[in-house]
Every structure is written in C-alpha cells, then in structure tokens.
Amino acid sequence: MRIQVQEDIFDPGAVLTDFSAGRTDMGAVVTFTGVVRDTGDRQLQAMEIEHYPGMTEAALTSIAERAVERWSLGDVLVIHRHGHLVPGEVIMMVATAARHRRDAFEAADFLMDYLKSRAPFWKREVTSDGDASWVEAKDDDEAALERW
Amino acid sequence: MEVLYFAWVRERIGLPRETVETSAETVEELVEELRAREERYAAAFADISALRVALDQELTDFDAPLAGVREVAFFPPMTGG
C-alpha cells in the first residue's frame, strides 16, 4: 500500500509503470487520475488545495485499508496533491491491482467516493478576475457513500 | 487543548490554530464557549450543520465528549479528489 500526500506535481504514467512493475500475479490494474478543470464560464486561474497534515495521511490510509479488507487486492496506491495547482495539472491518482478486473474497478470507485468526502482536503478556486471561492461539497458526493 | 481551523473557518476566525483552556465536556459546549468570545467566532460557528469536527484527527459528531482529547479541528465539509 502506498499513500502519498505531496505538493509536487507527478507523472501518472510513471507512477503506473512503477506500480505495475515486478508483479506477475495481478491480472488487472485500474487507475483514476483527477485533473484541475477549467470550468470555462469563469476562467479558472488556479486551484488551491488546503489539507490537514497528519489527519490527511491517517484518513487516506484508513480508507485504503477498508478497500483492502473488502476486495481482493494485490496493491493500492493513493497520491493526493495540495498547494497551488493550475488547470490541466494532475490533482490526485488512485491505482488498484487485483487478480480480476471487478475487484480493481470497484475498489478504485470506492476509494474515489470516500476520498472526496472523508479525506481532509479543501479546494479553493481562483478565477482570472482575482476572485477566490471555496468549492462547496456536493450532496451527491455524500450520497455516493451510501452505495458502499 | 489545541484547536485547529481549516478553509473558510480559518479565514473567518483569522487563525489556523490556538491553544484553548476550557472546561467544556463536549464539542457542542466548546462551540458555545467559542461563539461567546467574539463576533468572528460567532460568524464561523453560526451554523454547525455546515461544519465538521475531528477529535485527535478522527471525524466525529458535535455531541462527542472531550475528555482526554488533545486536538480539536473544525472545518467545512471536505472536498478532496
């Protein structure tokens, strides 16, 4: 299991190659990569992500451990950035490796749902007119947890 | 105990963290004490349904007891991913 919280940008391709390397028993690897999206109508200049050092790592580890208990997984990876990000940059990535695809897909989906609303990150959008606003949590995100 | 604030809670209160001497027995009682301090605290804690709380870095509810707790954090609903 690899949990990483970092400010630095990373290359999801290189992370995937490293994650998959050296294993011959995993038939399925699923990855999800979150990217800063410019919403178009109001010109996003940057996304600033605040987090709770200490709790962040603990929460991500606990979410990943739940996934490992529930699905048959060979490995799990979560990388989440904080700090100043610009549109097009990768925000975070999850990867799951399993013998079969269903476990890998479902565990990745579970990880994403949980880290949206249970990992202590807060996003703030800065637009080109200098306006900055905190991104509000969506009711849908909370409701998504009930699927699990 | 140490009290931490994140995101707009931190902005409204104007501090990322502070040490608070309190005899509050639950999170709710601590919130009442903080609200009574100054307008900026009252503004931050105006609607606790818009807030989340963690005790020693674990999410919990506002009726949770504070006995033995070293670190309390208040923040809005999380927006990770």
Side-chain angles (χ1 to χ4, degrees), chain A residues 14-117:
Chain A
V15 171
L16 169 60
T17 301
D18 182 53
F19 181 74
S20 310
R23 298 211 53 159
T24 55
D25 55 339
M26 294 292 118
V29 174
V30 165
T31 67
F32 174 87
T33 308
V35 177
V36 181
R37 170 173 46 103
D38 184 349
T39 48
D41 51 342
R42 45 188 210 100
Q43 287 281 303
L44 187 74
Q45 193 175 59
M47 176 173 278
E48 285 164 0
I49 303 178
E50 182 172 334
H51 79 117
Y52 183 172
M55 180 173 167
T56 308
E57 291 79 358
L60 293 177
T61 301
S62 138
I63 293 165
E65 283 170 353
R66 283 184 63 178
V68 168
E69 278 167 26
R70 182 151 168 190
W71 288 277
S72 176
L73 300 175
D75 204 359
V76 179
L77 168 144
V78 180
I79 302 178
H80 204 302
R81 294 179 63 201
H82 60 93
H84 185 91
L85 285 69
V86 298
E89 278 188 17
V90 55
I91 303 173
M92 51 78 57
M93 176 177 178
V94 301
T96 52
R99 290 173 59 81
H100 303 290
R101 75 176 188 279
R102 189 66 62 200
D103 286 311
F105 271 123
E106 286 187 9
D109 202 9
F110 167 89
L111 287 167
M112 283 312 303
D113 279 346
Y114 266 80
L115 66 91
K116 275 219 163 276
S117 352

Side-chain angles (χ1 to χ4, degrees), chain B residues 3-68:
Chain B
V3 182
L4 281 66
Y5 310 110
F6 291 96
W8 58 254
V9 184
R10 170 179 56 72
E11 289 181 338
R12 276 184 206 176
I13 292 173
L15 285 175
R17 64 189 301 151
E18 61 185 321
T19 304
V20 173
E21 296 298 329
T22 178
S23 53
E25 288 180 8
T26 64
V27 177
E28 275 161 347
E29 287 180 25
L30 175 64
V31 168
E32 280 310 313
E33 284 184 14
L34 293 169
R35 266 188 193 136
R37 277 183 162 187
E38 280 177 55
E39 180 51 37
R40 58 198 169 108
Y41 289 93
F45 291 105
D47 175 13
I48 58 166
S49 73
L51 293 180
R52 301 289 179 268
V53 60
L55 298 183
D56 290 332
Q57 306 192 351
E58 282 216 28
L59 269 184
T60 186
D61 297 315
F62 281 82
D63 58 3
L66 289 177

Side-chain angles (χ1 to χ4, degrees), chain B residues 64-80:
Chain B
L66 289 177
V69 169
R70 293 183 307 272
E71 187 172 294
V72 181
F74 294 104
F75 41 79
M78 296 160 270
T79 52

